[in-house]
Amino acid sequence: MPDPGGRPTVVLIPPSCCGAGYFRPLRRALGDRVTARAVELPGRGHRYDEPRVVHADSAVADLDARIGADVDVIYGESLGAYLGLAVLSSRDRGADGVVLVAASNSPPSARSGDIPADLSTGERVVAALRTMGGEVPPEVLADTDDARDAVSLIRDDLHLSRSLATHLHGIRVAADIVVLAGRSDPTLYRPASWAVHTSGSCMVASLRGGHLLSAGNPAAVADAVAHVASRRAVLCRPAAGGLRWKGTKP
């Protein structure tokens, strides 16, 4: 349903291994500037008992049903950025002005071969996660039960990431894309190359922060998202609030 107060609606898709609760700091920072809805992925949060999805098609079908039609901005962080692009590619959303805000992830076109196929051991899973910018706390790995559960979740999300990177390679959507790049994210490269995934505009903003961008800098992410949500049709003009957008061409 559209927001009765006329506020833009922003859907938040969490990063790998995180539930909808991950976005509490960002939602607090957004305040009442937008109507923010964080989606819960299967196998975490209040959907913990549901089987996790590891294939792009299954994940998109689940998200597509939960996101609904009345959306102005889809914000996806890390794995969530790929999920957001996949949802947009599954239906023609470009004409209604939906904008994808892709945070702290390299574009699928640059990721295809990054995720190893062999994730048979916990050591391989943890090593693969580290190459993607993640880290498992030592205290989790020290506990046998916690380590088993963590490795299982990470493995499934890595399989999903690999499936999405393959599924999205060469995909272009009509929706505009805004990329939020964490300046200290060691895994982020070629953020401007998100432009190959849209026939619309692609803008890039560099923000202070690392891979989990909204966790480390929720205020700046909130300002960027609120700006995009309120001015979807004029993304190419100078941004308010000190943000500097760099436009790229498809």
Side-chain angles (χ1 to χ4, degrees):
M1 294 290 290
D3 181 84
R7 293 176 298 184
T9 298
V10 178
V11 168
L12 309 173
I13 306 178
S16 177
C17 304
C18 296
Y22 166 83
F23 283 122
R24 288 192 187 99
L26 177 57
R27 295 182 74 172
R28 283 196 295 268
L30 283 166
D32 61 1
R33 290 179 286 180
V34 302
T35 296
R37 293 193 285 109
V39 294
E40 194 78 85
L41 303 176
R44 59 213 82 194
H46 68 266
R47 303 181 67 190
Y48 179 79
D49 292 333
E50 298 181 34
R52 294 190 288 266
V53 292
V54 296
H55 298 294
D57 290 344
S58 300
V60 170
D62 179 82
L63 273 174
D64 196 43
R66 292 178 179 276
I67 287 174
D70 296 305
V71 179
D72 298 298
V73 174
I74 295 177
Y75 174 86
E77 188 165 316
S78 190
L79 174 64
Y82 285 10
L83 288 168
L85 180 63
V87 167
L88 287 172
S89 73
S90 73
R91 46 180 167 169
D92 185 12
R93 300 297 302 274
D96 60 10
V98 177
V99 177
L100 172 66
V101 179
S104 56
N105 208 343
S106 303
S109 59
R111 275 282 189 216
S112 305
D114 279 7
I115 305 169
D118 185 0
L119 299 172
S120 56
T121 67
E123 290 78 9
R124 289 180 182 274
V125 169
V126 172
L129 179 69
R130 286 172 178 153
T131 67
M132 303 292 289
E135 187 65 58
V136 183
E139 61 271 19
V140 171
L141 293 176
D143 184 288
T144 303
D145 291 337
D146 285 350
R148 183 177 60 249
D149 292 343
V151 166
S152 175
L153 174 58
I154 296 164
R155 179 183 286 114
D156 285 348
D157 276 0
L158 286 169
H159 281 308
L160 178 57
S161 296
R162 184 180 178 86
S163 178
L164 283 164
T166 301
H167 174 78
L168 293 169
H169 194 81
I171 286 289
R172 297 182 81 195
V173 297
D176 293 334
I177 297 177
V178 173
V179 182
L180 301 184
R183 294 187 191 122
S184 57
D185 182 355
T187 70
L188 184 64
Y189 57 99
R190 295 173 57 194
S193 295
W194 274 93
V196 305
H197 293 293
T198 177
S199 58
S201 68
C202 180
M203 314 297 290
V204 179
S206 177
L207 302 180
R208 176 181 55 81
H211 186 65
L212 295 180
L213 193 55
S214 71
N217 195 359
V221 173
D223 287 346
V225 170
H227 174 78
V228 171
S230 64
R231 303 182 67 192
R232 300 192 313 280
V234 288
L235 288 179
C236 292
R237 297 181 187 175
L243 290 172
R244 294 183 178 179
W245 304 105
K246 179 182 179 182
T248 63
K249 295 182 179 180

